[in-house]
């Protein structure tokens, strides 16, 4: 079963750009050349985005290939398909990586056990329930990435297909 999604590299230092392309190519099994444009939200940073099509789990593989690189901000989305829910991965240097399962309308689906754990931490006074729910929904990542998303409006999108 295949799915499709989008990879948004919101900001990367110029020296990291070819390494990002090589990492993506390693996952997709095809040569990747992205159209890098300057990222106005961060001096000296570059951005790129493209759509991809591949097996279910490709979004996870892309996020794993890119995570942990300092100064790289990115998001990977995968649409739901007949055999799997959708996914969203967001990553920033300060927060690390966030993963959410998404439904067919793009809503974040939070598993029961994660909600119960958030309620338990709040009940014990370890945290604020509103802050816990914000984390479960990825709000800290959205807050940090929003200026970079806005700066990228109108950027070109290129379709890439995974070799199976």
């Amino acid at each position: 079963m295949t799915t499709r999604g989008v990879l948004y590299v919101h900001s990367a230092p110029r020296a990291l750009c070819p390494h990002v392309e090589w990492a993506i190519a390693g996952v997709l099994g095809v040569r990747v050349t992205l159209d890098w444009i300057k990222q106005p939200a961060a001096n000296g940073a570059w951005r790129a985005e493209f759509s991809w099509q591949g097996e279910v789990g490709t979004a996870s593989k892309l996020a794993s290939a890119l995570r942990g690189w300092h100064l790289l901000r990115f998001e990977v989305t995968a649409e739901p398909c007949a055999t799997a829910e959708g996914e969203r991965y967001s990553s920033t240097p300060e927060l690390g990586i966030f993963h959410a399962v998404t439904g067919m309308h793009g809503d974040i689906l939070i598993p029961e056990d994660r909600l119960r754990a958030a309620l338990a931490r709040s009940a014990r006074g370890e945290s604020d329930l509103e802050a816990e729910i914000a984390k479960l929904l990825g709000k800290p990542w959205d807050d940090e990435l929003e200026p970079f998303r806005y700066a990228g409006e109108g950027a070109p999108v290129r379709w890439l297909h995974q070799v199976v």
Side-chain angles (χ1 to χ4, degrees):
M1 183 60 66
T2 63
T3 187
R4 60 186 184 172
V6 181
L7 168 65
Y8 305 93
V9 179
H10 292 299
S11 72
R14 188 66 175 152
L16 193 55
C17 294
H19 299 281
V20 169
E21 292 177 355
W22 296 331
I24 296 167
V27 171
L28 297 178
V30 296
R31 185 169 184 250
V32 175
T33 304
L34 301 178
D35 294 324
W36 294 96
I37 59 174
K38 289 186 180 182
Q39 171 55 275
N43 190 28
W46 294 81
R47 69 171 322 283
E49 60 186 68
F50 66 91
S51 295
W52 55 267
Q53 183 172 341
E55 294 178 2
V56 170
T58 298
S60 174
K61 291 176 184 176
L62 287 168
S64 293
L66 298 174
R67 74 182 180 132
W69 284 349
H70 192 61
L71 303 178
L72 182 65
R73 289 177 183 85
F74 70 89
E75 290 181 278
V76 183
T77 63
E79 294 180 3
C81 64
T83 60
E85 299 288 354
E87 295 183 281
R88 181 180 120 202
Y89 293 86
S90 303
S91 183
T92 73
E94 294 79 20
L95 298 172
I97 200 157
F98 168 78
H99 172 253
V101 175
T102 58
M104 63 186 239
H105 298 294
D107 297 322
I108 292 177
L109 308 177
I110 302 172
E112 292 176 39
D113 60 336
R114 294 185 71 196
L115 283 171
R116 286 191 179 105
L119 285 170
R121 283 189 296 275
S122 176
R124 290 190 303 263
E126 296 172 6
S127 64
D128 176 67
L129 183 57
E130 187 174 341
E132 287 285 336
I133 291 172
K135 285 183 204 172
L136 291 173
L137 294 172
K139 185 174 181 343
W141 286 264
D142 287 339
D143 290 346
E144 186 171 329
L145 291 172
E146 193 58 31
F148 297 91
R149 292 174 181 149
Y150 179 75
E153 286 185 12
V157 175
R158 176 184 293 162
W159 281 93
L160 293 179
H161 301 275
Q162 181 178 17
V163 176
V164 180

